[in-house]
Structures are given as C-alpha cells and as structure tokens.
Amino acid sequence: MLAQMRQARILEEVHRSGGVRVSNLTDILGVSDMTIRRDLELMARKGLLAKVHGGATAVDTASAVEPGFAAKSGRETAEKQAIAARAASLVRPGMAVAITAGTTTWTLATHLAAIASLTVVTNSLKVAEVLYAQGRPDLTVVLTGGIRTPSDGLVGPIAVHAIKSLHVDMVIMGVHGIDERAGLTTPNLLEAETNRAFVDSARRLVVIADNTKWGVVGLSQIAPLDAVTTLVTDDRLDAHAVRVLQERVGEVICVPRVDAGRPFSASELDSHHHGGANGEPAYRVH
C-alpha cells in the first residue's frame, strides 16, 4: 500500500472514532509499528491529527466541536495524573463533593479511594463507574440523569433540576478551555448550563485542567475566571497564563508531571509558595 493511501486510511479511522492506537493501525494496515509511527509524525507536522502516547487523536478545529471521551483520554496522561492526585488532596473526609464529566475528573475519581465518608454528586457516567467499583459502604454516589454527551456526561434540564436541589462543599470541574477573556468554556451548550448549576450549588469551585486547555475557547461560557476558587494545573503552563491567573483566580496550584510507572509521592504534595492576600497562597509550585 502506498504511503498516501495508508495515511488517508489512518485519517479516516481518526475521524471515524476520534482517536486511534498504533497497535490497532498495524493490524488494520498490515505494516510495522515503526511505519505507523512515522506516518503519524508526518501527519501531525501537517496538522492533520494530534500525536498522543500510543496513537493519535483528531485535531480540535472548531469551538462547537466536542471530542469523544476515548479521543481525550489518551492526551496529556502524565499531567492529568499529577493534577488529579493534587486535587484529591483538597478533599476532606465527610465532604459532599460534586465532580463534573471529563477525562481529568475521571482520573481524579481513582484517587478518592482513601478519603473516608464521602458523598459524591456527579453527572459523569465514567466517574460514577469508577466510584461504584470501589464497593465502599462509606461512599455515597449521586448520579444525575440527563442527556448523554460525547464525553459521557449527563446534561440538560433533568440534570440541572437535580443539581439545583443540592448543596455541596466543593465542585471539582474539568473544562474544555480556559481563556483570559472567555473564562471557562465548553463546546456543548447543555453542558455549559449543567456546569453552571454545579457552580451555583457549591461553596468552592476547583478547576482541574492541564496546560493545553489555556487559550482554548469553546462555544459557551461556564463561568468567568473570577469565579474560580482554586485552579490545579501542571507546571508547563506558560508565564503569561500564570500571571493572568494569579490576578484573576483565588489560588493557582501547579504540579509537575508524574513519571510513567512512578506513583505520586506524599512529599510532592507539600508546597513551597508565594504568599497571597491574608497570608493565603495565591500561587503554589508543587
């Protein structure tokens, strides 16, 4: 098969499912993984797809396009693990916590096993699945109803109605994009409405997002930057973004990526920080 024909087939698979793995492409095309990796490298340089660990995903080109869960789950995995581990340390035993849909919040769910007596309200089928699998008698999971999104979230009037009847200590939210002017955004109008209901129901808004979300603007705003109590991100966020966020967000926590195969140690959760108002840290580097 000619290289152009092979790459056209790869692109077709990416557009069909939102993402592909090298191992699957070698089976489909009958070539070596080295050949596939070279194809993906070339196509990524042309802007036709985005390379991720073990494969590739579709490139997000429009503010109203929402990638599927499978496509997003392979992106920035090390950053998501570090962010999720740090965000979990903000959760205390006995809390009622809301968790929105997304791959970073899904990663977070796996880090909540050691926290006792939790009540978790979520509109994420994936998050609920992880929490139910823990089989804990001291863990209460409230799953909202609603219309299913490509990210396996439940949104719309039913979800909003359920969320508005509740009051939680904290909402931990993943977002499609964060921008200096647009704030927190999503390409899904119903998801924006649902997430706004989560914000209104919580005493504290914690946003978890890796550095690639900065400058991305979806179709609909969830909340302005000023509404964010704490942002947990990774240490690859650029200096301009950090300056903007320091001015607009209550607290910005940056964490280093977790090396593959190495757990996130407790010592890495200890911070040194630059002080903010009233003795509270405005910006922490972990």
Side-chain angles (χ1 to χ4, degrees):
M1 181 183 291
L2 296 174
Q4 286 184 329
M5 295 173 61
R6 189 172 61 243
Q7 290 165 18
R9 181 65 189 280
I10 291 172
L11 201 56
E12 179 184 318
E13 288 294 319
V14 169
H15 288 164
R16 183 179 62 81
S17 60
V20 291
R21 295 188 178 277
V22 170
S23 56
N24 291 341
L25 291 173
T26 58
D27 292 340
I28 293 169
L29 298 171
V31 295
S32 69
D33 63 347
M34 187 64 71
T35 298
I36 295 297
R37 291 180 194 281
R38 281 198 297 267
D39 284 339
L40 296 181
E41 184 70 40
L42 178 62
M43 296 169 76
R45 286 202 299 269
K46 292 179 178 178
L48 299 173
L49 49 73
K51 279 191 68 182
V52 296
H53 180 70
T57 63
V59 177
D60 302 336
T61 58
S63 63
V65 174
E66 181 179 6
F69 186 91
K72 293 188 292 185
S73 62
R75 301 177 185 175
E76 287 72 46
T77 54
E79 288 86 349
K80 289 174 183 176
Q81 282 291 343
I83 290 166
R86 182 61 181 90
S89 74
L90 302 175
V91 180
R92 299 287 181 260
M95 274 189 169
V97 180
I99 302 177
T100 69
T103 54
T104 311
T105 51
W106 169 66
T107 305
L108 165 76
T110 65
H111 290 274
L112 298 179
I115 303 170
S117 304
L118 281 185
T119 298
V120 176
V121 180
T122 185
N123 69 324
S124 169
L125 295 169
K126 295 290 189 182
V127 167
E129 199 173 72
V130 170
L131 296 175
Y132 282 132
Q134 294 178 10
R136 291 171 44 191
D138 66 334
L139 174 63
T140 300
V141 180
V142 180
L143 181 63
T144 70
I147 301 166
R148 190 172 184 170
T149 71
S151 296
D152 284 336
L154 300 174
V155 300
I158 294 173
V160 170
H161 180 75
I163 294 163
K164 282 185 173 181
S165 68
L166 302 171
H167 301 280
V168 296
D169 299 300
M170 174 191 301
V171 56
I172 304 178
M173 181 175 292
V175 294
H176 175 79
I178 306 176
D179 181 76
E180 183 174 354
R181 293 188 178 87
L184 314 178
T185 61
T186 173
N188 189 306
L189 293 172
L190 290 178
E191 182 173 50
E193 183 183 14
T194 302
N195 282 357
R196 284 194 291 269
F198 271 125
V199 173
D200 291 342
S201 75
R203 294 191 182 96
R204 181 179 181 187
L205 170 58
V206 176
V207 175
I208 54 177
D210 65 76
N211 71 89
T212 65
K213 303 297 178 69
W214 177 256
V216 175
V217 178
L219 180 64
S220 184
Q221 186 188 67
I222 299 165
L225 291 180
D226 308 74
V228 180
T229 310
T230 302
L231 170 69
V232 185
T233 186
D234 62 82
D235 59 359
R236 293 191 173 188
L237 195 66
D238 68 61
H240 170 71
V242 170
R243 284 195 298 272
V244 170
L245 291 166
Q246 281 182 281
E247 294 172 359
R248 301 282 300 281
V249 171
E251 178 184 36
V252 180
I253 301 175
C254 294
V255 292
R257 295 187 309 158
V258 180
D259 293 336
R262 183 178 66 81
F264 200 78
S265 68
S267 64
E268 288 173 306
L269 295 179
D270 295 333
S271 67
H272 62 275
H273 60 268
H274 305 287
N278 302 318
E280 290 298 320
Y283 174 58
R284 298 181 181 178
V285 181
H286 296 261

